[in-house]
Amino acid sequence: MSSYLDSADRSVGGKRTIDIVDQTLRDGPQSWWGMRMTKSIGLPIAAELDRTGFRTIDLVGSSIFEVLVRHCKEDPWDQLISLSKAMPHTTVRAGTRSNGIVTFGLTADSVMDLWVERLCAHGIGSFWIYDGLFNTDKIGRLVKVAQSNGAQALPCILYADSPYHTDEYYAARTRELVALGADGIELEDAAGLLTPERTRTLIAAIKAEAGDLPVEAHFHSNNALSPMNYLEAVLAGADRVHSASRPLAAGVSLPSTENTVANLRYAGFDVDIDDSRLEPVEKHLVNVAGLDDLPVGAPVEFSLYQYRHQLPGGMAGTFKAQLRDRGMEDRFEEVLDEMSTIRKELGYPVMATPFSQLVGTQAVLNVVTGNRYSVVPDEVLLYANGFYGDSVAPIDENVLDKIMDSPKAKTYRDWEPPQPELSELRKKFGKDISDDELILRLLVPEHDIDVMRATPQRTVDYGLSSREVANIKKLIATSVGAYLHIESGGFELTLHGDH
């Protein structure tokens, strides 16, 4: 392996400045904490992140809205507004699929457009827009919506490892995305599949088509190679890399900001961020993890098996839980092998939303029922009928016949995805409903919203250490009186109660 030290002269023009896109508030907690990044967790570090010098801070995606309402009982619009206002010096970013929000199915164009418009109205100044099958008409429309509302739009290329996802394939897709008037190109490796060698050739192919547009690298660490791949990416011409604060980095997440910046500087690149602001963020997140019993990011070992199933790391826990509920947790690897077979049969869809979910769900059903494709989810039917777009490779004819033979499949033969106007959708909730509330009601079940609204909003103070909280819990559990008073430094707590 060649040395990376003082290797920046391998890039065109010699020493360059590499920008960092921060994922501490979005992909980091999405990967490690199931998207449970509440306002109380994010606000105390927002000012530090804002002044660190990041090119962009990624903040929100549609699924986060659902999680905040359902599991955190928190208004996601309030969180978005609060955090974006707390970071006035940095461009704040949101991500969206081109043809769906929250659902793994399809969302009407009118709703997609309103979603982007309302995000812009609340401070979002940059978007990454993805579509695993590259429906350029859908991507192009959202690019224009974002730009007309004052935001930049960077279409995202989702990496997949297959005989069909060649450098030439991705170069052609890059040309199409550049032609849409994009403000840059993002390459995402959600499953950590890239090798240094492939990173080098792929980034070079994408950069050759992107020209002067910035190219971003967003590589997950599922297979331990992403820190090295980042070096290869910038040497091949990438302009920006994505990272997260160390407690929410590594493993199923992205490389840590601390390590990424150090590596880039050792390799001879400039990185204009204020390192002194990284430690307070790290300490806060470690404390939060201790108080809320949340995991802290940890590296994983390289596994060749990852290339067989290509499962994004954050999904592994979901499938294990599904199998555990059925008393079949010991069949997890069987599900992964089935996913590999299904992916080939369905024409090698990229393992990212919604395709990773539909392949994974079909695999669980095939294993649980013992009769492959005897039960087929609606999303697989949508895919097989081409409603998501054209598959990269042909679908296996025998599998397609079996899928299409079901009574439910026949209902899709003459079906067209509904495209209601916003005026039609408003009738369900009342014509005076605000745009923000309309989006929320379309994204999240009404019952969950009603429960969230009825739950008193609380602010959690994470100033205590996890050791102090553990001691308080112990005292409460062992107290036999009706009065308990605790003092710790400047902290006082008095509890009264009947026993």
Side-chain angles (χ1 to χ4, degrees):
M1 183 184 299
S2 61
S3 173
Y4 290 106
L5 294 175
D6 300 319
S7 57
D9 56 355
R10 285 166 54 188
S11 63
V12 178
K15 192 170 185 178
R16 293 185 293 126
T17 297
I18 304 301
D19 291 324
I20 307 293
V21 176
D22 181 66
Q23 293 287 349
T24 302
L25 297 176
R26 207 277 300 172
D27 209 344
Q30 179 171 328
S31 297
W32 279 112
W33 292 353
M35 306 184 195
R36 288 162 172 77
M37 171 64 76
T38 63
K39 185 170 73 172
S40 293
I41 297 174
L43 270 180
I45 56 176
E48 296 287 355
L49 294 171
D50 185 42
R51 290 174 171 80
T52 301
F54 296 117
R55 175 76 190 198
T56 312
I57 295 175
D58 202 352
L59 182 57
V60 70
S62 63
S63 294
I64 295 172
F65 266 48
E66 183 180 31
V67 170
L68 287 175
V69 172
R70 178 171 293 173
H71 299 288
C72 303
K73 306 298 185 286
E74 186 166 292
D75 187 336
W77 286 120
D78 175 59
Q79 185 195 100
L80 169 60
I81 293 167
S82 299
L83 288 174
S84 62
K85 284 184 177 179
M87 298 184 289
H89 303 98
T90 312
T91 300
V92 181
R93 176 176 290 183
T96 185
R97 215 173 92 212
S98 77
N99 53 6
I101 44 180
V102 174
T103 175
F104 297 140
L106 301 169
T107 301
D109 293 347
S110 59
V111 178
M112 296 299 307
D113 293 352
L114 182 63
W115 165 242
V116 171
E117 290 167 4
R118 296 314 300 162
L119 289 172
C120 290
H122 293 311
I124 296 298
S126 175
F127 286 85
W128 64 281
I129 303 169
Y130 68 99
D131 187 319
L133 295 180
F134 294 97
N135 292 280
T136 52
D137 56 335
K138 301 281 189 183
I139 299 172
R141 195 191 72 258
L142 289 187
V143 166
K144 291 181 173 58
V145 172
Q147 291 173 339
S148 66
N149 284 273
Q152 291 194 332
L154 288 82
C156 179
I157 292 173
L158 300 174
Y159 178 72
D161 183 63
S162 84
Y164 295 86
H165 290 88
T166 62
D167 289 355
E168 292 74 21
Y169 170 84
Y170 284 120
R173 303 293 79 75
T174 303
R175 282 195 299 274
E176 295 169 357
L177 298 176
V178 169
L180 299 176
D183 295 299
I185 299 293
E186 177 182 329
L187 172 64
E188 175 168 344
D189 179 16
L193 300 170
L194 280 168
T195 62
E197 293 77 15
R198 183 67 193 278
T199 300
R200 194 179 308 137
T201 61
L202 181 56
I203 287 289
I206 290 172
K207 187 63 179 176
E209 299 297 337
D212 294 332
L213 291 179
V215 171
E216 298 184 358
H218 179 116
F219 300 164
H220 281 245
S221 301
N222 309 48
N223 226 8
L225 294 174
S226 54
M228 191 180 300
N229 290 341
Y230 272 177
L231 291 173
E232 289 293 352
V234 297
L235 289 169
D239 305 280
R240 305 167 187 167
V241 296
H242 294 226
S243 64
S245 179
R246 185 175 281 121
L248 290 172
V252 295
S253 183
L254 300 117
S256 72
T257 302
E258 294 85 349
N259 189 54
T260 298
V261 170
N263 284 344
L264 289 171
R265 286 174 176 160
Y266 280 132
F269 293 96
D270 282 334
V271 184
D272 294 333
I273 70 167
D274 183 353
D275 299 63
S276 68
R277 299 190 180 274
L278 300 179
E279 187 177 1
V281 173
E282 179 182 359
K283 285 184 175 180
H284 172 74
L285 293 173
V286 168
N287 196 44
V288 168
L291 292 171
D292 288 354
D293 194 24
L294 294 167
V296 173
V300 297
E301 293 183 299
F302 177 84
S303 171
L304 195 59
Y305 191 43
Q306 181 76 15
Y307 295 89
R308 180 166 173 78
H309 61 77
Q310 303 195 24
L311 179 69
M315 288 182 61
T318 301
F319 288 128
K320 284 183 179 178
Q322 289 177 344
L323 293 172
R324 188 184 306 116
D325 292 342
R326 295 172 173 83
M328 301 172 64
E329 188 176 10
D330 60 324
R331 302 181 71 179
F332 179 59
E333 288 199 7
E334 185 180 346
V335 171
L336 295 185
D337 285 335
E338 179 65 12
M339 285 178 61
S340 176
T341 301
I342 291 171
R343 183 168 173 264
K344 182 178 179 180
E345 291 171 340
L346 294 184
Y348 294 103
V350 60
M351 292 299 283
T353 302
F355 307 122
S356 53
Q357 287 83 3
L358 68 86
V359 169
T361 301
Q362 187 67 66
V364 171
L365 289 170
N366 287 0
V367 169
V368 169
T369 63
N371 185 1
R372 303 185 75 242
Y373 297 105
S374 60
V375 180
V376 180
D378 284 352
E379 289 77 15
V380 175
L381 295 174
L382 289 172
Y383 175 84
N385 279 277
F387 291 112
Y388 289 109
D390 296 330
S391 60
V392 177
I395 299 176
D396 182 280
E397 291 185 4
N398 293 328
V399 169
L400 187 60
D401 288 343
K402 190 166 187 177
I403 290 174
M404 295 301 188
D405 195 44
S406 71
K408 185 66 177 291
K410 293 179 173 61
T411 65
Y412 283 101
R413 287 178 179 171
D414 299 317
W415 182 78
E416 288 293 333
Q419 290 288 354
E421 296 297 327
L422 293 177
S423 57
E424 298 176 54
L425 297 171
R426 289 183 189 280
K427 292 178 182 178
K428 179 179 178 181
F429 306 106
K431 63 179 182 179
D432 295 328
I433 189 173
S434 69
D435 288 340
D436 288 354
E437 189 68 14
L438 176 62
I439 285 288
L440 199 59
R441 298 274 167 178
L442 292 172
L443 292 185
V444 184
E446 287 190 73
H447 172 73
D448 292 332
I449 297 174
D450 293 339
V451 171
M452 180 267 291
R453 298 268 191 237
T455 302
Q457 296 299 294
R458 63 192 184 100
T459 299
V460 180
D461 185 354
Y462 287 99
L464 290 174
S465 71
S466 56
R467 185 178 67 178
E468 288 171 323
V469 170
N471 288 334
I472 291 172
K473 289 179 178 177
K474 183 178 179 180
L475 285 171
I476 292 173
T478 57
S479 175
V480 295
Y483 173 86
L484 178 65
H485 181 75
I486 302 167
E487 291 186 15
S488 176
F491 171 79
E492 292 187 16
L493 174 68
T494 302
L495 299 174
H496 298 270
D498 295 326
H499 293 271

